[in-house]
Amino acid sequence: MTMYNLTTDQRVDKALADNFLRQATRRATDRLRNNKYKASDELGNWEEWRNAGETIRKHVIANLDFYLHQLIEQMEKRGVHVHLAKTPADAVGIVRNIVREHDAKNVLKSKSMISEEIHLNHALEEDGAAAVETDLGEYIIQIAGEPPSHIIVPAMHKTRQQVADLFEPIAGHALSSDTPTLTRFVRIQMREQFLRGDIGITGCNFAVANTGSIVMVTNEGNGRMVSTLPRVQITLMGMERIVPSFRELDIMLNLLARSATGQRLSSYTTILTPPKKSADSDGPEEYHLVILDHNRSEILGDKLFRTALNCIRCGACFNVCPVYRQLGGHAYGSVYSGPIGSVITPLLEKDWKKWGHLPYFSSLCGACTEGCPVRIPLHDLLVKLRMRKTQSGHTPQVEQQIFKAYRYLFTREKTLRRALRLGAHLQWPFVRNHRITGGPAPLSNWTKSRTLPMVAPKPFMQIWADLNNKR
Amino acid sequence: MTNTNEFINHLASKLGRPTPIETPPPVEISVPQYRLSNTEERASIFLQNWQALGGKGAIVKSDNDMLQCLKEWFGDLPVTWFKDNPQALIAWDMLPSIAESAFSTLNWPLTRYTQSSLDPRDRYSIAAHAELGITSSDLGIALSGTIVMNSDPLRGRAVSLLPPRHLAFIETTKIRNNLFEVLEEISALGTPPAAIEMISGPSRTSDIEMDLSIGVHGPIEVYVVVTDN
């Protein structure tokens, strides 16, 4: 968990010095992005699909209260236990209670970003009922004690040798680091767990309001295992993850699979309408749905940022972001990284001190906005978040002073002229090739990693005046 | 625990209006959907896409075709399997009659999953130790090479999940063009079954260095017989 204790600068330095990480990030993002291009081009009318996706998401969010109510009603009518959690602590408490009530020893988990958001594993570990991550990537980072570095390929930053080293103590013998050996080990290891599972915890890609169904996509099949074999299932969902009916689900599943991994459909797309019918041989008898708010309702009420709730967690914005590409996910320090993580983390966590750096993890190039299958204006939201942060008074002292000085000078013409003349003289010791390359604090904050254009020996104001005189 | 009304009212207040009583009018969706002209074409494209994902597939038109196809795929393997495990072939209670008669002609006895044990854990164990899980498929999707299975009491969900191989039978007329048509058809049935499983190829992962690996959790080999009467 070391990266949680590092400062933002330290995390960034660490990422930049890690050649494997940077190479792996480039490889993963290139592959996923190119697959997405293929899968979206093949439709021949991607923009129309994006339009439909955007329209559906906006409609759902604008009527979230209605659809959520409908979902809850449908679920409860069939005997599903629906739990509403205002905070991560509430959600953790709900899951802990269910696990305790059943005295469950074997808790299995398929991928759920909500479980990461509420730090569920840590809490269950304390109770001695640790949930085993069953997605291969999540399993790797669980053993390593690290957060995901990519929303779709969470262990992308690990080398195969590191993976083999992590597995060896569990295997009790040496493992070769080729992929088939490693996946075979996990298949055998995890099989026993699946067959013994008491409680399955899953995420939720979409919830269908009018039928009360949960839709889950996986490629490995672990989602099916966790939702088929244990007697009790708990599904964690963010409250915005809704579609009105199967009609809209078609669009969303196409957009998700194609944008996330470039597949036409994920290997396993499962639509659960729980609990199992009494005569069914498989499937959970007892089903709990935990719906999490965690400041999503605040985002809903904030017109500037409401579109952030439209996200379908496909990760397409990660794969086109030049900042993510250089740093990978851990440098962000947050559970959700990449452009969407930089948008939603400050909004969900409401802590500018801790997360104020995130809106600046962007070059504002707009590639994320262009890549988003539901057209969330991500780079625009990042600018607005910077504004929000400044308004909330959390800008560093130095930056505040610089902008005060800027304002002071640029509203006083004579002083500005004098300052420029002074600057033109004082800069000489620091100028190399017409660039300022050093200087005293606070200038050095900038020049330690970048240069500045030098103050022109003859200011523009002077050139302009001379031109006028010549006429 | 938060009360539902309180939770919903809080959202309504954030949206600045009372919660609508009627279902909001659905949004208009117009996306050009993938369509093929006939059943034959759908079957052939379905198969092509299924194979591209790493599955094996064939179209059979007669009892004899079916026998040939199964023999070609599995050869003498089932006989070897039965020596160690009489329950090596685990199946749904009912398969299409062309499949049932092929298995009985080949003398490959099928263990019916739901009847294999009363205890669910025993059933899981039997399915996990089987060599081949055999099911039919309610619908197929040509565009994505997907088979679709609705759960019901005569069909174990574990049959297509736990054994290392999965064999499914589907009629050509059940193959649809796209996901939209499948979802529309399932919606028309009313309350959906407890589980609808859509399977497109074998279990796969690229979690280790983006290197594709087959069969980390679900079936490693997947087979589809498309029956054309």
Side-chain angles (χ1 to χ4, degrees):
Chain A
M1 299 288 199
T2 47
M3 73 205 58
Y4 286 129
N5 308 326
L6 301 178
T7 65
T8 304
D9 284 349
Q10 286 169 330
R11 283 194 310 268
V12 170
D13 286 344
K14 192 164 177 257
L16 290 176
D18 186 341
N19 283 332
F20 176 80
L21 167 83
R22 299 181 67 195
Q23 193 195 335
T25 309
R26 277 196 294 275
R27 178 174 52 204
T29 53
D30 279 352
R31 178 92 56 86
L32 292 168
R33 189 184 59 211
N34 291 337
N35 288 350
K36 181 203 163 193
Y37 288 153
K38 250 192 259 166
S40 52
D41 283 353
E42 157 195 285
L43 275 177
N45 39 48
W46 184 242
E47 291 308 313
E48 287 177 56
W49 285 82
R50 282 179 83 201
N51 274 343
E54 182 189 14
T55 311
I56 292 166
R57 287 306 296 156
K58 282 190 168 160
H59 170 81
V60 167
I61 299 303
N63 295 287
L64 191 58
D65 51 347
F66 176 86
Y67 288 123
L68 207 47
H69 192 241
Q70 192 181 31
L71 175 78
I72 296 168
E73 255 182 10
Q74 288 296 327
M75 286 286 192
E76 287 184 336
K77 204 168 73 184
R78 289 196 311 267
V80 169
H81 306 271
V82 179
H83 309 264
L84 301 166
K86 280 235 86 92
T87 65
D90 292 348
V92 168
I94 291 162
V95 177
R96 267 180 147 163
N97 279 342
I98 300 167
V99 172
R100 272 185 214 143
E101 268 169 34
H102 289 276
D103 195 19
K105 296 282 172 289
N106 301 300
V107 182
L108 304 173
K109 236 184 99 248
S110 64
K111 201 167 163 188
S112 151
M113 285 310 289
I114 294 292
S115 75
E116 301 275 356
E117 184 180 325
I118 63 177
H119 303 291
L120 178 66
N121 284 354
H122 186 60
L124 291 179
E125 262 166 48
E126 279 178 6
D127 289 359
V132 178
E133 292 286 355
T134 60
D135 173 85
L136 175 57
E138 292 282 344
Y139 182 56
I140 295 169
I141 59 169
Q142 182 178 38
I143 304 171
E146 290 171 9
S149 62
H150 188 288
I151 198 163
I152 303 294
V153 270
M156 172 206 79
H157 58 287
K158 290 272 176 239
T159 65
R160 57 180 64 254
Q161 192 52 54
Q162 287 172 325
V163 174
D165 293 345
L166 286 168
F167 287 173
E168 270 179 20
I170 299 163
H173 55 83
L175 284 172
S176 100
S177 65
D178 60 294
T179 315
T181 303
L182 296 173
T183 44
R184 201 177 318 120
F185 164 72
V186 171
R187 182 181 176 95
I188 295 164
Q189 165 74 16
M190 212 56 97
R191 235 353 133 85
E192 288 170 28
Q193 315 252 17
F194 284 133
L195 297 178
R196 278 204 311 260
D198 301 312
I199 295 186
I201 301 179
T202 75
C204 159
N205 293 95
F206 300 105
V208 186
N210 75 338
T211 58
S213 308
I214 297 296
V215 185
M216 224 172 34
V217 302
T218 70
N219 277 313
E220 298 179 1
N222 60 316
R224 284 191 66 197
M225 296 277 185
V226 171
S227 61
T228 301
L229 307 177
R231 207 185 62 76
V232 179
Q233 187 182 336
I234 306 171
T235 292
L236 306 171
M237 81 174 251
M239 71 174 191
E240 77 282 25
R241 215 129 298 290
I242 287 191
V243 291
S245 70
F246 277 16
R247 180 174 161 267
E248 293 82 3
L249 182 62
D250 164 55
I251 305 283
M252 302 324 293
L253 282 174
N254 265 291
L255 289 174
L256 177 62
R258 287 171 194 267
S259 303
T261 49
Q263 290 167 287
R264 289 168 178 165
L265 266 185
S266 306
S267 301
Y268 301 104
T269 300
T270 304
I271 305 176
L272 302 169
T273 308
K276 72 163 195 167
K277 309 270 184 304
S278 57
D280 282 355
S281 57
D282 303 340
E285 287 161 27
E286 186 180 320
Y287 197 107
H288 297 266
L289 176 64
V290 182
I291 302 175
L292 178 68
D293 181 338
H294 189 203
N295 290 326
R296 286 167 173 77
S297 54
E298 295 299 311
I299 306 177
L300 185 69
D302 190 336
K303 286 204 173 126
L304 273 188
F305 296 106
R306 191 180 282 175
T307 50
L309 294 176
N310 294 355
C311 175
I312 58 170
R313 306 283 190 267
C314 69
C317 58
F318 290 55
N319 304 329
V320 293
C321 176
V323 175
Y324 180 84
R325 188 184 166 84
Q326 295 298 328
L327 296 177
H330 288 164
Y332 292 72
S334 47
V335 165
Y336 299 99
S337 59
I340 187 66
S342 298
V343 171
I344 58 172
T345 306
L347 296 169
L348 292 176
E349 303 292 340
K350 288 181 115 182
D351 182 349
W352 283 117
K353 221 171 156 188
K354 201 165 172 195
W355 303 116
H357 61 281
L358 288 176
Y360 298 87
F361 271 47
S362 167
S363 66
L364 300 181
C365 67
C368 46
T369 302
E370 216 168 279
C372 176
V374 294
R375 293 218 175 99
I376 301 171
L378 288 158
H379 70 296
D380 194 38
L381 297 182
L382 287 166
V383 175
K384 286 175 180 151
L385 276 170
R386 293 179 184 186
M387 179 186 82
R388 211 28 96 70
K389 184 193 166 190
T390 309
Q391 284 169 347
S392 71
H394 280 94
T395 322
Q397 280 292 319
V398 179
E399 195 177 320
Q400 286 186 27
Q401 294 305 325
I402 290 172
F403 276 93
K404 268 188 197 149
Y406 176 82
R407 182 186 169 147
Y408 179 86
L409 287 172
F410 277 76
T411 49
R412 287 164 181 81
E413 195 191 332
K414 275 187 191 157
T415 323
L416 178 64
R417 281 174 196 278
R418 242 179 280 136
L420 283 175
R421 270 200 298 275
L422 190 65
H425 284 294
L426 291 180
Q427 69 181 337
W428 284 113
F430 308 109
V431 172
R432 307 269 178 286
N433 289 329
H434 307 285
R435 308 284 298 179
I436 298 175
T437 58
L443 189 64
S444 56
N445 279 336
W446 179 274
T447 55
K448 71 182 172 196
S449 55
R450 280 161 286 203
T451 59
L452 272 173
M454 65 182 282
V455 180
K458 191 171 182 182
F460 178 75
M461 282 189 288
Q462 194 56 53
I463 299 172
W464 187 252
D466 290 352
L467 277 174
N468 271 339
N469 293 340
K470 273 185 198 160
R471 263 205 233 146
Chain B
M1 266 282 288
T2 313
N3 166 292
T4 304
N5 285 337
E6 195 186 302
F7 197 87
I8 299 298
N9 288 341
H10 176 62
L11 299 189
S13 78
K14 291 292 174 186
L15 286 162
R17 49 134 188 76
T19 302
I21 297 160
E22 299 286 327
T23 308
V27 292
E28 268 187 46
I29 299 174
S30 76
V31 289
Q33 289 277 10
Y34 179 80
R35 287 214 164 77
L36 294 163
S37 49
N38 58 49
T39 308
E40 206 182 3
E41 207 183 347
R42 273 188 289 276
S44 131
I45 298 288
F46 162 82
L47 213 55
Q48 214 175 298
N49 286 327
W50 175 261
Q51 285 162 342
L53 292 168
K56 282 194 176 171
I59 299 182
V60 307
K61 291 180 189 276
S62 65
D63 288 358
N64 199 36
D65 275 6
M66 177 70 87
L67 289 174
Q68 289 311 317
C69 171
L70 295 177
K71 272 194 229 164
E72 194 187 312
W73 282 345
F74 302 107
D76 292 330
L77 273 177
V79 180
T80 329
W81 295 335
F82 289 133
K83 281 183 192 152
D84 292 331
N85 178 6
Q87 295 175 311
L89 302 191
I90 190 108
W92 280 0
D93 292 15
M94 275 169 60
L95 296 174
S97 53
I98 183 172
E100 294 282 0
S101 65
F103 285 110
S104 75
T105 310
L106 289 163
N107 203 13
W108 292 352
L110 302 179
T111 300
R112 305 296 170 168
Y113 175 75
T114 64
Q115 296 151 33
S116 62
S117 170
L118 284 174
D119 178 1
R121 299 243 166 155
D122 285 348
R123 281 199 299 271
Y124 301 158
S125 170
I126 291 167
H129 288 100
E131 297 287 346
L132 177 65
I134 306 162
T135 71
S136 55
S137 170
D138 297 283
L139 292 167
I141 305 173
L143 173 60
S144 50
T146 305
I147 52 174
V148 183
M149 295 175 296
N150 295 328
S151 67
D152 87 19
L154 303 179
R155 302 164 153 198
R157 284 154 66 175
V159 178
S160 60
L161 179 65
L162 290 174
R165 301 171 193 83
H166 174 211
L167 166 65
F169 298 92
I170 184 169
E171 286 168 37
T172 44
T173 53
K174 296 288 185 187
I175 298 172
R176 305 290 173 255
N177 293 297
N178 53 53
L179 175 64
F180 176 80
E181 292 175 2
V182 163
L183 291 175
E184 200 178 31
E185 214 164 312
I186 295 175
S187 300
L189 300 174
T191 306
I196 303 163
E197 311 277 8
M198 304 194 199
I199 300 176
S200 315
S203 157
R204 57 200 286 148
T205 181
S206 298
D207 273 344
I208 299 172
E209 294 195 7
M210 291 304 284
D211 188 10
L212 177 65
S213 182
I214 297 298
V216 60
H217 293 309
I220 302 160
E221 293 171 19
V222 290
Y223 303 82
V224 165
V225 180
V226 182
T227 55
D228 183 5
N229 297 319

